[in-house]
Amino acid sequence: MAAPDQFAAIDAAAIERWIRAFAAAVAENEQELTRLDSPIGDADHGANMNRGLKAVVAKLDGGSTGGPGALLKQTGMTLVSTVGGASGPLYGTFFLRMATAIGDADTVDQKLFAAALRAGVDGVVARGKAEAGDKTMYDALAPAVDALDAAFGGEDTAGALQAAADAAAQGRDSTTPMQARKGRASYLGERSVGHQDPGATSAALLLQTAADTLA
Amino acid sequence: MKKLINDPADVVTEALSGIAAAHPDLRVDLDHKIVYRADAPVQGKVGLLSGGGSGHEPLHGGFVGPGMLDAACAGEVFTSPVPDQMLEATRGIDGGAGVLHIVKNYTGDVMNFEMAAELAAADTGVEVVSVVTNDDVAVQDSLYTAGRRGVGVTVLVEKLAGAAADEGRDLAGVAAVARRVNEAGRSMGVALTSCTVPAAGRPTFDLPEDEMEIGIGIHGEPGRRRVPLAPAREVAEMLVEPILADRDFTGDGGALLFVNGMGGTPLLELYVMYREVSRILAKAGVSVARSLVGPYITSLEMAGCSVTLLQLDDELLRLWDAPVRTPGMRWGA
């Protein structure tokens, strides 16, 4: 009897769908991300991410080759080279570490995907030195990887990924009452309280598009 | 938004193109958005590279030239450049003596320069040392923030380390001067208006007509507190007091007083501020040995100013007076 929790293997085509969907979601939410960045940052998160992801999509349009790892690596390198600010190194490192974890594998099963996602998030922590509660993208990413691990074996593909996306959305919402301790928002001190973090918001889009495209 | 631009997406490239046309002493790589001195790399001299978001002109591209920077990387408006640019520039200015990266303490700048230094170590033989400037006393508690921001002192580090490199000092020696200047300098700023990032199209924050923001950053990030608009003499107090509370500037060499315009403030007002600040300093026993007044590290069209004090000694005084020839700062050469 087949296990009900079988995780559809993720191939390069699925990864490409995910990256394109993330780019589309960021483009659609560019104004919103920038609006969130205005009171606590410097009003450029939407513009920066959109610029980088447009470059990523242009590369995909140019003809993608290679497996899931190669696609993620290309995405990470392109983001580092085009986004700037803090988001470039952070998102770039995220995709590069995922790529390294996946290596040359042609398809990615649930266990490997969960491990790769965790490696990506660990990369964000290493690069940004953020901790839980600092009011950053990490506050959306950390609960998402935990949720994916918890769903491992107990949910089907779609359920596991949606659990991760839901956790990311909750994590995003949890940043509103936090006081920022990283990035430019940290200079506001108590005045950063009451604003949703733009980085956590784009990170929640990353997880929701994964749930939409990888299942 | 009323701006003399074409398309917000082209602002940085078109400005760099204008810099190239206006200044034959400079060479501009439009693809990588790098401003070089035309004769880079200078053989045997330590190369100085800085960079950051655009919108702070003349910082950094306007400080490229003999006696100051060898190259500057321009990011998008208020967004740090990317490691590729820094790596390309590092290669382009290495005259065999290594390259100093001068980095303002902002999360994005620090991370991108860090990645560039890692890549330089891995991909090239160029020795890189980084110095991070963090002189803004408006940021009080570095345990719960990204640390003090790099503001006005950055200009002084570029000038003084540039002079040290011109004297033929090695990389460690030039970096030591840069670190010493950063340690000996403090800044504090005030904004009377917000600025508008071209791509955003709207002011970054709302500041009512009768209020000002004390302890402002250079990216439209709000400051320490918002207070009712006050006369210049009171504003000067609010800026100088935290600086003097943070460091002693009564040393024998005297101090350098730098009153910087944020982009939208006329020199008339900057000199009013200079008058007020120098009176406070005289009362506090700080003697001003050198002065710098004008828009050097700006925030687009923001109205306001920052005050920077640097404790001088014989060596820093000599390096300050050394010739410099850049679009934004020029004397003795």
Side-chain angles (χ1 to χ4, degrees), chain B residues 45-277:
Chain B
K45 186 183 90 71
V46 170
L48 264 68
L49 172 67
S50 194
S54 295
H56 306 305
E57 293 69 22
L59 192 83
H60 295 275
F63 297 138
V64 174
M68 225 162 158
L69 299 176
D70 293 85
C73 303
E76 292 298 321
V77 175
F78 292 176
T79 301
S80 82
V82 300
D84 302 35
Q85 292 172 273
M86 298 155 183
L87 186 61
E88 176 74 16
T90 299
R91 282 198 195 104
I93 63 172
D94 178 44
V99 173
L100 180 73
H101 287 178
I102 299 169
V103 186
K104 299 191 296 306
N105 190 35
Y106 295 95
T107 308
D109 293 77
V110 170
M111 276 196 257
N112 283 284
F113 268 106
E114 246 174 39
M115 292 190 91
E118 285 172 20
L119 292 169
D123 295 0
T124 71
V126 183
E127 193 186 348
V128 172
V129 173
S130 300
V131 172
V132 176
T133 61
N134 58 348
D135 51 303
D136 190 351
V137 300
V139 180
Q140 283 175 303
D141 188 352
S142 65
L143 280 178
Y144 297 100
T145 67
R148 286 184 170 178
R149 301 173 287 218
V151 284
V153 156
T154 315
V155 177
L156 310 182
V157 167
E158 290 176 4
K159 166 67 182 87
L160 293 158
D166 259 14
E167 281 188 351
R169 274 187 237 189
D170 64 10
L171 182 55
V174 175
V177 168
R179 288 201 187 94
R180 205 151 67 77
V181 172
N182 182 57
E183 190 285 318
R186 298 288 188 280
S187 301
M188 179 88 173
V190 60
L192 308 183
T193 66
S194 177
C195 52
T196 296
V197 175
R202 286 180 307 182
T204 302
F205 58 93
D206 299 317
L207 195 52
E209 190 65 17
D210 56 351
E211 291 183 8
M212 60 187 180
E213 186 94 28
I214 299 285
I216 190 76
I218 55 170
H219 303 96
E221 66 265 45
R224 258 191 194 184
R225 63 187 196 278
R226 194 164 279 197
V227 300
L229 201 60
R233 73 179 71 88
E234 287 170 34
V235 177
E237 288 280 358
M238 289 183 233
L239 298 185
V240 176
E241 202 176 280
I243 292 175
L244 294 183
D246 202 74
R247 195 193 192 283
D248 176 26
F249 286 94
T250 55
D252 288 342
L256 189 160
L257 169 55
F258 171 24
V259 175
N260 173 64
M262 301 303 286
T265 294
L267 277 170
L268 182 80
E269 292 170 34
L270 294 183
Y271 278 111
V272 170
M273 284 299 293
Y274 188 93
R275 170 183 187 264
E276 299 303 339
V277 170

Side-chain angles (χ1 to χ4, degrees), chain A residues 34-188:
Chain A
T34 291
R35 186 188 67 77
L36 291 170
D37 200 22
S38 295
I40 57 172
D42 50 357
D44 65 359
H45 187 55
N48 289 344
M49 289 297 290
N50 197 24
R51 182 177 59 250
L53 285 160
K54 272 186 181 166
V56 167
V57 168
K59 287 217 166 143
L60 293 175
D61 288 344
S64 46
T65 51
L71 277 178
L72 290 165
K73 185 178 178 190
Q74 176 177 291
T75 302
M77 299 285 281
T78 308
L79 291 176
V80 169
S81 304
T82 54
V83 175
S87 309
L90 290 171
Y91 272 101
T93 301
F94 171 82
F95 283 108
L96 288 171
R97 295 286 178 97
M98 272 198 91
T100 304
I102 287 170
D104 294 333
D106 288 332
T107 58
V108 181
D109 62 13
Q110 180 172 12
K111 194 175 170 191
L112 182 54
F113 185 78
L117 196 66
R118 187 166 288 281
V121 175
D122 288 348
V124 169
V125 172
R127 181 63 63 195
K129 298 167 186 75
E131 295 171 18
D134 281 350
K135 195 181 181 96
T136 71
M137 60 192 285
Y138 181 62
D139 290 309
L141 293 174
V145 287
D146 289 344
L148 193 66
D149 278 349
F152 177 55
E155 294 271 0
D156 62 7
T157 307
L161 289 169
Q162 191 54 52
D166 291 345
Q170 272 182 23
R172 171 200 67 204
D173 295 344
S174 77
T175 62
T176 302
M178 290 176 185
Q179 179 170 331
R181 291 193 293 251
K182 292 285 170 191
R184 285 183 200 156
S186 68
Y187 303 131
L188 280 175

